[in-house]
Amino acid sequence: MRDNVKRQVENQARRRRQLRKQQKPAKDVFIPDAISVSNLAGLLGARIGHFENKMRSLGMETIRHDHILTSEEASLLALEYNVNPIVGTTEKLFDLTPKPEPEDMSIYPLRPPVVTIMGHVDHGKTTLLDSLRKTSVAAGEAGGITQHIGAFSVTLPSKQQITFLDTPGHAAFSAMRARGAHTTDIVVLVVAAEDGVMPQTIEAIKHAEEAGVPIVVAINKCDKYGADPDKAKQALLKYGITVEDLGGETQCVEVSGLTGMNLDKLEETILTLAEVLDLRAEVDMKGEGHVIESQIEKGRGSVATVLVKRGTLRVGDNIVAGDTWCKVKALVNDQGKAVKEAPPGTPVKEQAKLVVENRTFKRERREQLKTLVAINEKRRIVAEEEDEEKTALRDYKHKVWLFHQGILEHHPEQRQVKKQLSVAAMAAKEEEESEVKHLRMVVKGDVSGTVEAVCDALSGLPANQVKVGVIQSGVGNITESDIQFASSCSAMILGFNVKADKKLQQTARQMGVNIKSYGVIYKLLDDVKVEMAMLLPKDTEIQVIGEAKVAQVFPIKLKGGQTQNVAGCRVTNGGVSRKEEIRIVREGEVIWEGRLSSLKRVKEDIQEAKKGTECGMEFEGFQEFKEGDMIQSLKKVEVLRKL
């Protein structure tokens, strides 16, 4: 009876505790993006032993105290302890976002349309722009091809303005073209009348379609002999571009950038399309836009080419772009003139200095989350090694005790524990054992866009035999720190539109660092391929350096009654050398290869017989030659292996 009463009292107390627990509101706990098991247990106020049992009951495989949990895993465990997990920091990080567009844009003034010129390399894009703004940019481009993305405004006779973006056409500058397409209002697709649709033409169409931007087709070089604009229009049909002449909606103008033919029609077409698009922008607000390119200029420091899309940018404004912020110290328009403000649709330049702390913090936090797997793997390896060492030591002590008790005859040897390699060490070992060679590069360029293009082009090179790795890249001239870094990593330095002075070149030679500077992208890629080939074993090629024809066979009697055949020959091409290997060809088939035992002209021993010389030849261990046989002198040459 007493036991029953005691049991009832305990049940009532348990029910009261559960009721209080249910009525108690869940406590908010801030969970970071990554937290160790021991720290989370302390945060939740749980004993580590009980906490590890809870993890085991939830099916978590790794329950060590130093194991790092993600925010999802930590939140799941927190819910088990009746707390409300809040993932992230206790403070919301301040950030800047574009201002929402107003519902009624008709009350705001019109802005100049932003037009991007796109197309295949050498189809005359820059020459077309030169004619539009009466300048000569193409003449100053290395190799006659554009390797930067540029912005400038053109004022038409009607006082209306158009802002043009010129993009590179070379295959290596795909990222630049994509950036231009996503910044623009209208894309002018330049197609050469003589070449038609080419690979970068197709890529430009894809970029414009992805950005949702209308296209105007400009058939260029119509003044050249053999130009066929209709063929180019027909070729565009395959890629979904139907011009008005063929019943489509895409406007097309036949132009010539060299003579200026129909450029007024092209401008009129662009303005008509811009009028249909009704491009307007707020003026009385803080400026918003896009960074087209950035570079380091001597005497100015960090400079960026910016296209203002909304609002007005003024000298003295603080601006944020990606992970950098700055105060605008100077505004210079596309003509090089200083201006106090830049309204929408204006390309200007401003200086950039410091890193935006909040965005950098977010980026670093994302990088830390990516390394969680590697950290946990390293800690797992260390824990397993420690456990194995403890087990080995315990077994050793037990066997020593057995030896002293007389159970074992010989004293045991202490077993050495084989340490596991870390993930990084395993990767380094695989790289050493791999047959693939590694060519390390430090890339420096004049602007960020070209550096990006060079790095992308290098990563796209074939990597089945030699892998090119860009270990560092940056904008600006080559510095001594670049040379020191390249020396420590056994890397070479590639400069694109930047050079190193004589003092730095001397320092590089002393440190064994190879510096190469280029102004044209395809020359850079060709030289890198040569550097890649130099890391591989060379191939051996056999070259025929001379030919002779057997005119007559002379049997010469020797001492002891033996006979030695001598080939009477005339050298028909090149020269036959006694030092080089010889090949005898009969009716197109090689019947013997070896060396000459003697080469004579009349009775005189000679080392080489030139074209037109009659001579006698004896071959080492071969006498079955006949009249009419062709004798070839061979030379083995080592050549670079083709990738």
Side-chain angles (χ1 to χ4, degrees):
M1 184 70 176
R2 189 176 296 173
D3 293 340
N4 291 335
V5 173
K6 186 177 180 181
R7 193 178 298 111
Q8 289 177 2
V9 172
E10 289 177 353
N11 290 337
Q12 289 175 359
R14 189 183 301 109
R15 281 196 295 269
R16 283 196 298 270
R17 285 196 301 270
Q18 290 178 353
L19 186 62
R20 284 198 301 269
K21 189 175 181 181
Q22 291 174 358
Q23 292 175 350
K24 185 179 179 180
K27 184 177 68 172
D28 291 342
V29 174
F30 288 94
I31 304 293
D33 294 318
I35 186 171
S36 66
V37 171
S38 58
N39 288 342
L40 182 60
L43 187 64
L44 299 176
R47 292 196 301 271
I48 189 66
H50 181 270
F51 194 74
E52 289 177 350
N53 290 333
K54 182 70 72 174
M55 292 177 65
R56 193 179 289 107
S57 66
L58 291 175
M60 295 185 179
E61 296 180 357
T62 308
I63 58 173
R64 295 191 317 274
H65 67 93
D66 60 348
H67 180 71
I68 298 179
L69 301 168
T70 62
S71 57
E72 291 82 2
E73 294 171 332
S75 300
L76 181 62
L77 286 164
L79 290 172
E80 292 293 320
Y81 286 87
N82 194 35
V83 298
N84 181 31
I86 299 176
V87 178
T89 57
T90 56
E91 297 180 1
K92 187 176 180 181
L93 295 176
F94 172 74
D95 202 353
L96 289 175
T97 55
K99 183 180 178 181
E101 289 190 3
E103 295 181 0
D104 185 14
M105 289 292 296
S106 61
I107 61 174
Y108 296 101
L110 293 169
R111 65 169 176 82
V114 179
V115 180
T116 298
I117 308 294
M118 302 181 75
H120 192 72
V121 63
D122 201 29
H123 273 201
K125 299 183 296 298
T126 305
T127 305
L128 183 65
L129 288 173
D130 285 346
S131 298
L132 286 169
R133 66 172 180 172
K134 308 299 186 292
T135 59
S136 183
V137 174
E141 295 281 5
I145 64 172
T146 302
Q147 299 174 119
H148 302 86
I149 184 170
F152 59 89
S153 293
V154 173
T155 303
L156 305 180
S158 60
K159 304 301 181 182
Q160 292 180 289
Q161 281 191 332
I162 302 176
T163 298
F164 285 100
L165 297 182
D166 184 17
T167 62
H170 193 276
F173 297 94
S174 176
M176 276 194 189
R177 287 190 292 275
R179 192 158 57 244
H182 285 80
T183 310
T184 192
D185 301 314
I186 301 169
V187 167
V188 173
L189 183 66
V190 178
V191 183
E194 54 183 347
D195 295 335
V197 177
M198 299 295 282
Q200 271 66 63
T201 312
I202 301 168
E203 184 195 77
I205 294 171
K206 291 180 180 177
H207 287 322
E209 289 176 347
E210 289 173 1
V213 180
I215 296 175
V216 174
V217 177
I219 308 293
N220 197 17
K221 302 185 180 182
C222 290
D223 59 314
K224 293 189 72 173
Y225 177 78
D228 191 356
D230 292 335
K231 183 180 177 182
K233 296 175 185 177
Q234 293 287 343
L236 288 169
L237 290 172
K238 183 179 177 182
Y239 305 99
I241 304 294
T242 307
V243 300
E244 290 180 336
D245 296 352
L246 301 178
E249 297 181 353
T250 304
Q251 298 184 69
C252 179
V253 184
E254 297 177 8
V255 299
S256 170
L258 196 62
T259 63
M261 182 184 78
N262 289 338
L263 291 188
D264 55 342
K265 290 184 179 180
L266 179 62
E267 293 171 350
E268 184 181 346
T269 301
I270 293 171
L271 290 175
T272 303
L273 184 56
E275 188 177 344
V276 173
L277 295 174
D278 194 28
L279 302 171
R280 298 176 183 271
E282 308 99 308
V283 179
D284 53 346
M285 61 171 282
K286 295 179 180 179
E288 294 180 8
H290 301 275
V291 176
I292 304 300
E293 249 184 4
S294 62
Q295 63 195 82
I296 296 176
E297 290 187 5
K298 190 174 182 180
R300 283 189 175 186
S302 298
V303 175
T305 302
V306 173
L307 181 65
V308 182
K309 293 297 289 285
R310 300 172 64 193
T312 302
L313 185 65
R314 296 179 176 86
V315 175
D317 288 349
N318 290 319
I319 63 171
V320 174
D323 290 342
T324 61
W325 72 274
C326 74
K327 186 175 182 179
V328 179
K329 291 187 175 180
L331 290 174
V332 181
N333 64 13
D334 58 297
Q335 298 174 354
K337 297 179 180 179
V339 293
K340 292 184 178 180
E341 62 179 28
T346 306
V348 295
K349 295 184 178 181
E350 96 290 324
Q351 299 179 339
K353 287 185 177 180
L354 301 176
V355 175
V356 179
E357 295 180 358
N358 286 348
R359 294 185 181 181
T360 304
F361 174 73
K362 289 180 181 179
R363 188 184 70 251
E364 290 175 350
R365 193 167 60 188
R366 287 194 296 268
E367 293 296 327
Q368 288 174 354
L369 290 176
K370 290 179 182 179
T371 59
L372 269 184
V373 176
I375 293 172
N376 283 331
E377 177 68 14
K378 183 178 179 181
R379 292 185 175 180
R380 182 192 64 80
I381 291 173
V382 171
E384 289 181 357
E385 286 178 356
E386 290 177 352
D387 292 342
E388 195 172 349
E389 286 178 357
K390 290 178 181 177
T391 303
L393 183 60
R394 187 167 54 249
D395 292 344
Y396 172 72
K397 289 181 177 179
H398 179 65
K399 289 179 180 179
V400 170
W401 180 82
L402 292 176
F403 171 74
H404 289 301
Q405 296 296 321
I407 299 174
L408 293 180
E409 296 182 0
H410 303 287
H411 193 281
E413 293 183 0
Q414 188 168 2
R415 182 168 64 90
Q416 294 293 327
V417 178
K418 184 180 179 182
K419 292 193 175 183
Q420 301 182 50
L421 293 174
S422 64
V423 177
M426 289 173 67
K429 186 178 180 182
E430 287 178 2
E431 181 177 330
E432 290 178 2
E433 295 177 352
S434 174
E435 295 181 357
V436 178
K437 305 291 184 181
H438 292 265
L439 180 62
R440 298 175 182 86
M441 298 282 185
V442 174
V443 177
K444 296 298 291 285
D446 57 340
V447 297
S448 58
T450 53
V451 172
E452 178 187 15
V454 170
C455 293
D456 289 344
L458 293 175
S459 63
L461 292 174
N464 54 340
Q465 294 177 311
V466 179
K467 186 176 181 180
V468 177
V470 178
I471 56 176
Q472 181 174 286
S473 61
V475 177
N477 289 323
I478 299 168
T479 62
E480 189 172 350
S481 61
D482 295 326
I483 296 172
Q484 292 172 351
F485 181 77
S487 176
S488 63
C489 301
S490 300
M492 67 179 294
I493 299 176
L494 294 180
F496 195 79
N497 289 330
V498 294
K499 295 181 179 180
D501 55 34
K502 292 183 178 179
K503 184 178 178 181
L504 286 176
Q505 290 177 1
Q506 184 179 357
T507 304
R509 283 193 295 269
Q510 292 173 352
M511 301 182 72
V513 176
N514 190 10
I515 299 179
K516 291 192 174 183
S517 298
Y518 300 90
V520 182
I521 186 72
Y522 56 79
K523 291 183 179 178
L524 180 147
L525 295 176
D526 289 343
D527 281 6
V528 170
K529 289 177 182 177
V530 173
E531 294 289 338
M532 293 168 67
M534 290 175 66
L535 294 177
L536 299 173
K538 293 183 178 180
D539 290 335
T540 302
E541 284 187 358
I542 297 177
Q543 297 180 356
V544 178
I545 60 173
E547 291 182 331
K549 190 174 183 180
V550 179
Q552 190 175 353
V553 178
F554 298 97
I556 306 297
K557 291 185 179 181
L558 303 177
K559 294 180 180 180
Q562 294 181 350
T563 303
Q564 173 72 42
N565 290 336
V566 176
C569 307
R570 176 184 288 272
V571 180
T572 58
N573 190 23
V576 177
S577 174
R578 187 170 179 177
K579 297 179 181 179
E580 307 295 346
E581 291 189 2
I582 297 295
R583 180 166 65 191
I584 300 178
V585 180
R586 182 181 297 164
E587 296 179 357
E589 293 184 4
V590 178
I591 61 171
W592 180 82
E593 287 188 13
R595 289 186 173 275
L596 292 173
S597 58
S598 71
L599 177 64
K600 293 186 178 184
R601 183 174 60 224
V602 190
K603 293 184 178 181
E604 179 186 358
D605 287 324
I606 57 175
Q607 295 297 319
E608 187 178 10
K610 297 288 187 181
K611 181 179 178 180
T613 304
E614 293 183 350
C615 57
M617 300 183 190
E618 294 182 14
F619 308 97
E620 292 181 353
F622 184 74
Q623 298 190 48
E624 287 76 28
F625 47 83
K626 297 180 181 179
E627 293 180 5
D629 288 349
M630 186 64 69
I631 299 169
Q632 296 178 342
S633 181
L634 309 176
K635 185 177 182 180
K636 291 184 178 180
V637 180
E638 288 187 343
V639 295
L640 293 176
R641 182 178 296 182
K642 294 182 180 179
L643 299 173

